[in-house]
Amino acid sequence: MSAADRQTSSHVMMIRPVAFAGNPQTRASNAFQQVDPNSVDSVNQAAALREFDGLAHALDKAGVTVHTFEDTPDPHTPDSIFPNNWVSFHADGTVVLYPMLAENRRLERRLDLIEALSAKHGFHVARVIDLTRHEHTGRYLEGTGSLVLDRMHRVAYACVSPRTDLDVLGDFAQQLDYDIVAFEANDANGKAIYHTNVLMSVGERFAAVCLSAIREDERDGVLNQLRGGGRVVVDLSHEQMNSFAGNMLELGSSLTGSVIAMSEQARGALTAEQRATLESHAGPIVATPIPTIEKLGGGSVRCMLAELHLPMKKRL
């Protein structure tokens, strides 16, 4: 396997929140997001900050290099803690910017962070592909929330939803030379699942997916594609998906080769057999509790991590 097609990265970008809160602009399409009428923004921010720092520390301790950037108080971006929706980074030096449904989430896109990754953190940026023009026609594709990438085989899995448009998928596929496996997926109440990365995760030698959420006549096609890549498939139940068990991410580690990052809730939802399968095909599970982020934000650990697949600059 060449450096250009590695599935995992040992570097991640994380955005430390300054004003985390439940986002009213995303609730209509995100059934995982819960409303707490008695919540207090300052209390939620303090809790989210503790949860964020706990995850960043656990990843660092596990041998993952975490590049942390501070959010800015103005403009207010309640979901800035989920950077993987506005940007993705690729091994040929490509950076992709994505069109997002919620208007206040579009404010999360920060070119200064991309510049800092190059100027201060040593990453090489060769080109920026800007897909955000699709916002003008009401079409969206929310990064590696909408897309679960098999980087080794250049396949992008995507469940169609208000946040994942087929036309933008085609634009992504053409510009980055990916094949698309698009499908419909619904929760137990029949509502379209808002992001693909809450129902499936693709690692180097495993895939975890809630097969029963995928439309029945499309299920075998998705399963066969995953298995065709040589991966063992861990089938998740609807209940496990609702606990964010699908929102895991395999990362490279300087200590163990690789680890699997997920929330404590997600880890607790897995059976002992599933955990053993994941660890034997990837590495140790790194799990920390992030209940405030999961409840109010409707996303979990994978959503908080933007993998930095960019090459490093050559030293002179």
Side-chain angles (χ1 to χ4, degrees):
M1 188 190 308
S2 69
D5 58 11
R6 287 186 61 86
Q7 182 64 20
T8 62
S9 172
S10 58
H11 294 256
V12 295
M13 180 180 78
M14 297 181 68
I15 309 297
R16 196 167 186 261
V18 296
F20 174 82
N23 188 351
Q25 293 189 23
T26 59
R27 287 174 189 152
S29 58
N30 183 349
F32 291 78
Q33 191 176 341
Q34 300 176 43
V35 178
D36 183 356
N38 299 315
S39 66
V40 178
D41 285 349
S42 60
V43 174
N44 295 332
Q45 160 61 17
L49 197 58
R50 287 193 300 271
E51 293 168 12
F52 175 95
D53 289 342
L55 174 61
H57 175 73
L59 291 173
D60 178 72
K61 189 177 179 180
V64 178
T65 303
V66 179
H67 302 263
T68 301
F69 294 92
E70 298 286 338
D71 189 14
T72 56
D74 185 36
H76 178 214
T77 50
D79 284 326
S80 62
I81 203 168
F82 302 133
N84 79 310
N85 297 140
W86 66 264
V87 66
S88 66
F89 304 98
H90 301 265
D92 65 351
T94 296
V95 177
V96 185
L97 302 177
Y98 293 92
M100 303 174 76
L101 186 151
E103 289 187 14
N104 63 3
R105 292 217 62 191
R106 300 170 192 175
L107 302 173
E108 297 171 27
R109 295 190 293 252
R110 291 174 54 187
L111 296 182
D112 64 304
L113 301 188
I114 297 171
E115 292 169 359
L117 287 170
S118 175
K120 299 179 182 179
H121 295 254
F123 291 98
H124 173 63
V125 175
R127 62 172 178 162
V128 176
I129 295 176
D130 189 347
L131 301 177
T132 63
R133 67 186 180 280
H134 291 285
E135 289 170 352
H136 302 306
T137 53
R139 297 182 176 93
Y140 313 108
L141 187 71
E142 298 192 335
T144 53
S146 293
L147 300 163
V148 172
L149 300 179
D150 177 350
R151 294 175 184 261
M152 294 189 298
H153 302 98
R154 305 194 76 78
V155 176
Y157 295 87
C159 68
V160 179
S161 78
R163 305 198 196 184
T164 303
D165 181 87
L166 287 171
D167 288 342
V168 195
L169 275 169
D171 194 354
F172 170 90
Q174 184 175 27
Q175 295 207 53
L176 279 89
D177 191 27
Y178 265 75
D179 292 324
I180 296 291
V181 177
F183 53 91
E184 294 181 15
N186 298 291
D187 63 21
N189 297 316
K191 184 173 182 177
I193 293 172
Y194 80 109
H195 275 164
T196 314
N197 75 359
V198 296
L199 75 95
M200 70 185 304
S201 175
V202 174
E204 188 171 319
R205 297 193 298 130
F206 79 89
V209 58
C210 181
L211 289 169
S212 58
I214 298 173
R215 202 175 83 176
E216 189 172 2
D217 62 345
E218 297 176 323
R219 202 171 293 160
D220 285 346
V222 175
L223 181 60
N224 290 337
Q225 183 73 46
L226 291 169
R227 286 179 171 163
R231 295 177 171 92
V232 63
V233 175
V234 176
D235 188 11
L236 305 172
S237 68
H238 272 276
E239 292 76 16
Q240 290 174 322
M241 179 183 69
N242 291 340
S243 294
F244 292 105
N247 200 241
M248 67 178 79
L249 181 66
E250 182 181 359
L251 296 168
S253 164
S254 61
L255 302 178
T256 58
S258 64
V259 296
I260 305 176
M262 67 181 71
S263 72
E264 190 58 52
Q265 179 186 194
R267 185 185 184 281
L270 297 171
T271 67
E273 182 180 2
Q274 288 172 324
R275 291 195 298 268
T277 298
L278 291 169
E279 291 191 315
S280 66
H281 286 81
I285 291 174
V286 178
T288 63
I290 55 167
T292 309
I293 296 169
E294 288 177 323
K295 179 179 179 180
L296 298 180
S300 190
V301 163
R302 194 274 169 268
C303 304
M304 298 169 65
L305 307 173
E307 316 104 279
L308 292 165
H309 283 266
L310 296 171
M312 303 301 291
K313 292 179 179 177
K314 294 180 180 179
R315 296 185 177 181
L316 299 177

